Amino acid sequence: MVGPFGLTHCPSEQEFVAALRNGIVLCKAINKIQPGVVPKVVANAPCDSQPSTAFQYFENIRNFLVAVQALKLPSFEASDLEKDNLDAGSVGKIVDCVNSLKSYQERKKCSGTYGPVKYMKSPLAPRSAIHVQSENVTLGSSTPQKCLDLTEIDAEGQSSQNVGPNMEDCAFAEAIGKLQRIILDCMISCKENLNQDVLKKDPVTLVGTILSNQLEKEQFKPLLQLISPEGAATKNEPNQHIECSNSQNENRLRLLEAQESELLELKTMFQEVKVDFRSLQTQFQDDITELGHNIQGISKAALGYNQAVKENRNLYNMLQEVRGNIRVFCRIRPLMNSKSISSIEHVGNDGSIMVCDPYKPQTTRKIFQFNQIFGPTTTQDEIYRETQSLIRSVMDGYNVCILAYGQTGSGKTHTMCGPSGGLSSNDLGINYMALNDLFTISTSREDVKYDIRVQMVEIYNEQVRDLLSEDTSSTKLDIRSSSNGLFNLPDAKMCPVQSPSDVMTLMLLGEKHRASGPTAMNNRSSRSHSILTVHVNGKDISGNVSCSCLHLVDLAGSERVDRSEATGDRLKEAQHINKSLSCLGDVITALAQKNSHIPYRNSKLTQLLQSSLGGNAKTLMLAHISPEGESYVETLSTLKFAQRASTVELGTAHANKESNDIRELKEQVETLKKALATKEFERSSLKLKENTVTSERTKQLPQRTPPRPRRLSLETTSSEKGSIPGKPPKSPVSAMTFNRDHGTARDKECRIDGFNRTKIHGSVIQ
Ligand SMILES: Nc1ncnc2c1ncn2[C@@H]1O[C@H](COP(=O)(O)OP(=O)(O)OP(=O)(O)O)[C@@H](O)[C@H]1O
C-alpha cells in the first residue's frame, strides 16, 4: 500500500518494528484505507527544512493509534514500538494490528462496507525479547517462525516493479534499508537525549562514528560486507564481490548529506536554544536581583514604620506619664460563640481599634486610641509584662492602681485572677503575678527591708465587706474619712505576707468569699467589686523609708438586665453594680472636665478609689471588651468610657519616699508640735482661770477700774521675744486653730506644710 520502505521479504521482528517506529508508514497506510483520518503526518524532513523531532514522530504513532481505535481494530501501545520493549507480546500486538488493518482494507475493497472486522492473528509465537535478539544474530539466518513473511504484502508493490529481482539487488536494497534504519534510530535516540557531546561533534564525523559503531555489531556484519566488499571478501568469501552501481553510491551519498545537514541544523537549533536559555537565565537573574532590591526597600520601609510607631507610642506614653494621665489598655476577649460575628474590624499596632456593628454594616465605623491593645490571642504573661514596670514602681514608693473595667463576661476576672477566677493555683492572673514579682524584687534588693501586707475587700450591694475575715457576713466595714480628706478602711483585716504561697492562700480565701453567681451572660459572674490592696513599706540601711500601696481592682461587670435575665437577688445586685459604675463614670467625667467638684461621695466605690483617681497615684485602666456583634452596644460604651478615662490628668505621680534627714526633721516637728500643744493647753487653762477670777472680782467690785488683761501682756512679751522683725504678732487663737488642725495630720504634704508653719511659730515656743 505504501510502497517499499526498506524491509526484506522476511524481516525480523526488530526490523519490522524499527521500520514502523517513526509512524510514517503506519499513518500513510491508514490514510490510504481511510483518507484524511490522520490529517497531519510528520514525514522525514527534507534537507532544507527543520528536522522532525522524536516527539513529532511520537505524534504520528499517537494519531495512528487514535485512528485505529476509531475503526475498532486491535490496537497496541505507543511504547510497544520502543526498542527496549520488544518482547514477544508487544511485537505480536503490532503485527496483529497491521494484519487487521490489511484485512479491513480487503473487506472494504470487496464489499465497500465496514462490516465486522476479522483480522489475521500474528504469526509470531510469544517469545521473550532476549530470545528474539539472540535468535536474530545474523541477517538471513532467520527461520519462518522467527521472521515475518511479508511476501504477500510486498507482492502488490513488487508486481509493479521489474520482475525477477536478482539476489544482488535484493541484498543491496536490504543493506540500504538497514542503513536508513540505523541512521534513523541513531537520530531519534540523539534527539531524545539531546546529548550535547553528540551534537558538538562534526556532523560528518558523527555519522561516521554512528555507522562504524553500528556496523561493528555482529548482526550487521553482512551489511559491512555489502558496503565494503573488499574487506569482506578477504575475511569471508574472497570470490564474492558485490559491485555497487554509481547511482546507488550517489543515493547513499545524498542520504549522508541529508543526515549531515539535518545534524547541522539540529546543532544550530541547539545553539539558538542555548543562547535563548542563557538570555532567559540572565533576565531571570536580573529580575530576581531587582525583586531582592525591592523587597529590601520594602522591609526597610516597614522597619522604619514600625520604629516610628514604636517611638510614637513611647512618646505618647511619656507625655501621658508627665501629665499623669490615667493609662488605658484594652483587652479583647476571644469569641466564645463561633457563630457570632466579630464587631472588631481592625486592631492597629499603634494602640488603635476600629469597631463596627456587624448587624448594621451601614453604620459608621468608630476608631478609638489607647496606650495599648491586646488581641484575643494575648496571653496572661504578655499582659503582665506590659504592666510589670508600673507594678514594680510600687517598690519605689509610688501608689499604683490597676482597674479592670468592662461589661459582664468580658474577661475582667480572667485577667485579674486567672482563668479559674482565682480558685486554682495553676492558672494565674495579674494579682498573683504582681505579688510574686514584688516578692522577687524585695528579695533581690538586699539593702532595703520591705514589709508587705495585704487587704482584700469587696463592695457588694453598696456594702464594704472584708474578704479576708473568716466570717464575711459579720464584717461590714465602715469607710472613714482621714485627716487628709481621703477615705480608708481602718478596720479591714491587714495580713502580713512573707512569700508568694502566703499570697496564694489569702487570694484563694478572698475569692472563695467573693460574691459570684450565674447569669445568662456569664456562668460565674462576679456580683461585687473586689479590691485587693497591697501595702508596701520599705526601709533601707541608711534609714530612708518609703510607703506605698497597690490597688488591684476587679470591678463587677456592667450589664443590661434584659440580656443578663437577672431577677430577684441578681437583679438587685445588677442595679447596685450599674449604679456604682455610673457614679464611677460621673467621677471620671468630672475629672476629665477638670470640674471643681468631683462627686467621690456618691458611691462606696468612688470613695475608696478617690486616691487612685484623683491623687498622685499611677493609674492603669484595663478596659475589657467582648468581640461578639451582639455585645456591640456594650463594647462601644466601654470604649467610650475608657477613652474618657484616658483624658483624666492626675498630675505627675510622686514617690512616697523620705530620706533619713527628712524623717528626723519630721520627728522633731512632731515633738515640737506636741510641746506646743501642751503649752497651748496650759495657756488656755491659765486664761480660763484668769477669766474666772476676773469675772468674780468684777462681780465683787463693780466700781473698780477694769484690770489690764494679762493675756495681752503675755502675748506682747512673747511676740517681742520671738517675732520676726517687721511681721505683726500672731494671734494665739489662730496659732491654736492651726495646731489643732495639723497636729493629727498624717499625710506627707500636710506634715510638710505643718512643719513649715511650725517653724514660723517655733520662735514662739522658744
Ligand atoms: N482572654 C481570654 N481567653 C480565654 N477565655 C477568656 C478570656 N477572657 C475571658 N474568658 C472567659 O470568658 C468567660 C467570662 O470571663 P470572666 O468571668 O473573667 O468575665 P468578667 O468580665 O469577670 O465577668 P463578670 O463581670 O460577669 O464577672 C470565662 O469563662 C473566661 O474563662
Side-chain angles (χ1 to χ4, degrees):
M1 287 167 73
V2 295
F5 53 93
L7 279 180
T8 59
H9 290 288
C10 302
S12 71
E13 293 157 9
Q14 284 157 316
E15 288 165 347
F16 180 64
V17 170
L20 299 181
R21 194 163 287 142
N22 61 14
I24 299 169
V25 173
L26 291 171
C27 287
K28 277 185 184 170
I30 203 158
N31 271 346
K32 285 237 164 135
I33 297 166
Q34 199 82 340
V37 69
V38 179
K40 194 170 171 234
V41 181
V42 178
N44 275 329
C47 304
D48 54 350
S49 71
Q50 292 282 340
S52 308
T53 61
F55 176 76
Q56 287 169 311
Y57 288 142
F58 176 78
E59 274 295 292
N60 283 346
I61 304 292
R62 210 172 55 103
N63 292 339
F64 167 78
L65 291 174
V66 170
V68 165
Q69 276 156 12
L71 293 176
K72 297 197 169 51
L73 297 176
S75 180
F76 57 88
E77 306 289 333
S79 59
D80 291 338
L81 280 167
E82 281 168 17
K83 263 193 290 186
D84 300 338
N85 287 350
L86 279 186
D87 59 20
S90 304
V91 178
K93 278 196 268 176
I94 298 163
V95 174
D96 285 348
C97 175
V98 173
N99 279 338
S100 64
L101 206 58
K102 185 176 173 249
S103 53
Y104 180 86
Q105 159 74 349
E106 282 163 0
R107 277 173 179 279
K108 197 179 160 190
K109 259 190 194 168
C110 297
S111 60
T113 60
Y114 298 92
V117 180
K118 276 188 190 166
Y119 58 87
M120 292 155 71
K121 263 285 183 199
S122 162
L124 293 170
R127 286 165 296 155
S128 73
I130 299 163
H131 273 145
V132 172
Q133 280 182 359
S134 64
E135 282 169 15
N136 291 324
V137 176
T138 48
L139 208 81
S141 66
S142 56
T143 60
Q145 283 87 355
K146 290 171 193 165
C147 298
L148 302 177
D149 186 358
L150 297 186
T151 325
E152 196 186 347
I153 300 164
D154 275 0
E156 276 179 47
Q158 283 174 1
S159 62
S160 60
Q161 294 171 6
N162 289 337
V163 198
N166 62 43
M167 280 291 287
E168 213 170 277
D169 287 348
C170 196
F172 188 74
E174 249 178 58
I176 291 295
K178 276 191 180 299
L179 192 60
Q180 278 178 343
R181 280 195 304 280
I182 290 162
I183 291 168
L184 195 67
D185 278 353
C186 289
M187 280 182 66
I188 288 170
S189 94
C190 285
K191 283 172 193 170
E192 276 170 353
N193 299 329
L194 270 180
N195 187 337
Q196 277 195 33
D197 297 339
V198 171
L199 293 171
K200 268 179 200 162
K201 281 185 185 174
D202 172 51
V204 181
T205 325
L206 176 65
V207 173
T209 316
I210 293 166
L211 282 176
S212 60
N213 281 347
Q214 294 296 322
L215 292 175
E216 268 170 23
K217 290 180 185 169
E218 192 63 27
Q219 67 197 85
F220 296 118
K221 278 195 179 147
L223 186 68
L224 200 62
Q225 287 174 0
L226 275 175
I227 295 166
S228 164
E230 303 86 38
T234 46
K235 275 183 194 166
N236 298 327
E237 295 164 43
N239 297 326
Q240 285 181 15
H241 290 283
I242 303 164
E243 286 182 3
C244 298
S245 69
N246 284 342
S247 66
Q248 283 166 344
N249 279 337
E250 274 169 17
N251 277 347
R252 264 189 264 161
L253 209 63
R254 268 203 301 279
L255 191 67
L256 280 173
E257 278 168 4
Q259 308 290 354
E260 188 185 339
S261 72
E262 201 174 336
L263 277 171
L264 268 172
E265 278 183 31
L266 214 60
K267 202 175 161 188
T268 322
M269 225 166 76
F270 178 70
Q271 291 299 344
E272 279 170 11
V273 168
K274 234 164 92 173
V275 171
D276 281 356
F277 177 74
R278 286 227 176 95
S279 78
L280 266 177
Q281 209 177 17
T282 323
Q283 200 182 330
F284 181 67
Q285 265 172 359
D286 287 351
D287 287 351
I288 292 271
T289 320
E290 203 181 317
L291 200 70
H293 286 316
N294 287 346
I295 288 175
Q296 258 181 5
I298 290 169
S299 71
K300 239 186 211 170
L303 215 68
Y305 173 76
N306 273 345
Q307 200 90 19
V309 166
K310 215 169 151 187
E311 274 170 22
N312 262 359
R313 206 172 52 215
N314 284 346
L315 285 173
Y316 178 69
N317 283 344
M318 268 164 63
L319 181 71
Q320 287 223 317
E321 198 156 319
V322 169
R323 290 201 314 213
N325 279 56
I326 294 182
R327 264 152 284 196
V328 179
F329 291 175
C330 176
R331 186 178 194 184
I332 306 162
R333 165 171 70 58
L335 269 176
M336 291 295 178
N337 184 353
S338 54
K339 285 180 195 147
S340 283
I341 312 170
S342 175
S343 60
I344 316 298
E345 287 248 313
H346 176 73
V347 175
N349 56 2
D350 58 344
S352 62
I353 179 171
M354 182 157 73
V355 290
C356 164
D357 187 349
Y359 299 107
K360 290 179 193 161
Q362 68 278 10
T363 54
T364 50
R365 279 138 180 78
K366 304 262 181 340
I367 298 174
F368 297 88
Q369 177 89 34
F370 301 113
N371 295 86
Q372 196 108 335
I373 301 268
F374 300 109
T377 52
T378 314
T379 61
Q380 299 285 94
D381 279 339
E382 282 165 346
I383 301 255
Y384 182 70
R385 234 174 286 141
E386 291 299 321
T387 54
Q388 197 175 30
S389 61
L390 195 71
I391 288 168
R392 284 182 162 213
S393 64
V394 174
M395 300 305 265
D396 300 320
Y398 289 92
N399 289 338
V400 175
C401 174
I402 297 180
L403 278 166
Y405 178 88
Q407 80 168 108
T408 180
S410 56
K412 300 176 293 295
T413 311
H414 183 97
T415 302
M416 300 306 285
C417 304
S420 67
L423 295 177
S424 156
S425 53
N426 295 331
D427 34 21
L428 306 165
I430 284 185
N431 288 359
Y432 180 80
M433 287 194 247
L435 271 147
N436 206 16
D437 210 14
L438 297 189
F439 277 115
T440 313
I441 297 170
S442 95
T443 25
S444 69
R445 292 184 186 172
E446 285 168 0
D447 52 340
V448 191
K449 202 169 174 323
Y450 285 103
D451 173 39
I452 303 177
R453 287 158 193 268
V454 172
Q455 273 182 325
M456 202 170 173
V457 297
E458 71 171 350
I459 304 170
Y460 176 72
N461 286 353
E462 239 0 54
Q463 285 179 354
V464 186
R465 302 199 305 192
D466 194 342
L467 291 176
L468 297 184
S469 167
E470 287 305 328
D471 183 11
T472 46
S473 56
S474 64
T475 50
K476 266 195 281 168
L477 299 171
D478 290 327
I479 299 178
R480 303 249 173 85
S481 167
S482 68
S483 52
N484 54 11
L486 299 176
F487 301 98
N488 58 24
L489 295 164
D491 304 329
K493 193 170 174 184
M494 182 92 84
C495 299
V497 280
Q498 311 289 342
S499 65
S501 68
D502 288 355
V503 175
M504 199 71 234
T505 317
L506 286 179
M507 281 184 187
L508 288 176
L509 180 70
E511 284 305 322
K512 211 170 77 189
H513 289 158
R514 191 176 175 191
S516 69
T519 68
M521 300 286 290
N522 187 359
N523 280 341
R524 200 177 172 278
S525 176
S526 309
R527 310 309 290 165
S528 65
H529 309 296
S530 103
I531 304 174
L532 171 74
T533 309
V534 186
H535 297 268
V536 180
N537 291 310
K539 188 172 183 181
D540 67 12
I541 39 173
S542 24
N544 301 328
V545 292
S546 68
C547 77
S548 52
C549 66
L550 166 69
H551 289 303
L552 297 162
V553 187
D554 177 13
L555 296 171
S558 57
E559 63 189 66
R560 285 200 343 232
V561 284
D562 53 330
R563 285 193 72 200
S564 66
E565 295 167 19
T567 52
D569 279 352
R570 290 287 102 86
L571 180 62
K572 194 174 152 202
E573 287 161 3
Q575 283 164 345
H576 276 115
I577 290 167
N578 288 344
K579 184 168 175 273
S580 57
L581 289 174
S582 141
C583 291
L584 179 64
D586 293 341
V587 167
I588 296 279
T589 308
L591 284 167
Q593 291 170 353
K594 297 195 168 82
N595 289 356
S596 54
H597 172 67
I598 313 293
Y600 290 115
R601 284 177 180 269
N602 285 359
S603 75
K604 295 260 180 350
L605 177 68
T606 46
Q607 281 177 18
L608 287 180
L609 293 182
Q610 184 184 350
S611 62
S612 305
L613 296 173
N616 60 352
K618 293 184 176 186
T619 303
L620 167 71
M621 177 175 284
L622 283 171
H624 289 76
I625 53 174
S626 312
E628 287 84 9
E630 294 78 9
S631 298
Y632 177 71
V633 176
E634 288 91 337
T635 297
L636 204 58
S637 150
T638 302
L639 291 173
K640 280 181 181 168
F641 181 85
Q643 183 100 308
R644 213 177 315 134
S646 70
T647 62
V648 173
E649 287 176 24
L650 302 176
T652 314
H654 304 294
N656 304 317
K657 270 185 166 176
E658 283 170 4
S659 70
N660 205 14
D661 294 345
I662 293 178
R663 201 163 47 80
E664 272 172 17
L665 283 172
K666 277 185 178 173
E667 278 167 10
Q668 232 176 17
V669 168
E670 285 300 315
T671 321
L672 286 171
K673 272 182 189 170
K674 273 181 197 156
L676 191 65
T678 320
K679 280 270 178 234
E680 285 299 329
F681 180 71
E682 280 172 10
R683 272 176 64 176
S684 55
S685 49
L686 206 68
K687 193 180 141 196
L688 201 72
K689 231 182 194 175
E690 194 182 318
N691 284 346
T692 323
V693 172
T694 314
S695 65
E696 273 172 11
R697 271 192 199 158
T698 317
K699 269 182 205 166
Q700 283 167 10
L701 301 163
Q703 263 74 27
R704 281 177 69 176
T705 318
R708 253 174 78 209
R710 196 179 157 189
R711 187 173 67 90
L712 273 178
S713 69
L714 265 174
E715 191 177 51
T716 317
T717 319
S718 54
S719 302
E720 278 164 6
K721 266 187 193 172
S723 63
I724 299 159
K727 286 224 168 185
K730 291 265 172 184
S731 153
V733 178
S734 67
M736 203 165 86
T737 315
F738 164 73
N739 286 324
R740 197 171 55 240
D741 282 348
H742 292 268
T744 52
R746 282 180 185 275
D747 74 308
K748 181 190 136 207
E749 277 180 8
C750 285
R751 270 185 276 166
I752 289 169
D753 193 12
F755 167 72
N756 290 337
R757 292 192 198 193
T758 315
K759 270 235 164 179
I760 294 166
H761 291 279
S763 55
V764 176
I765 296 157
Q766 279 162 5

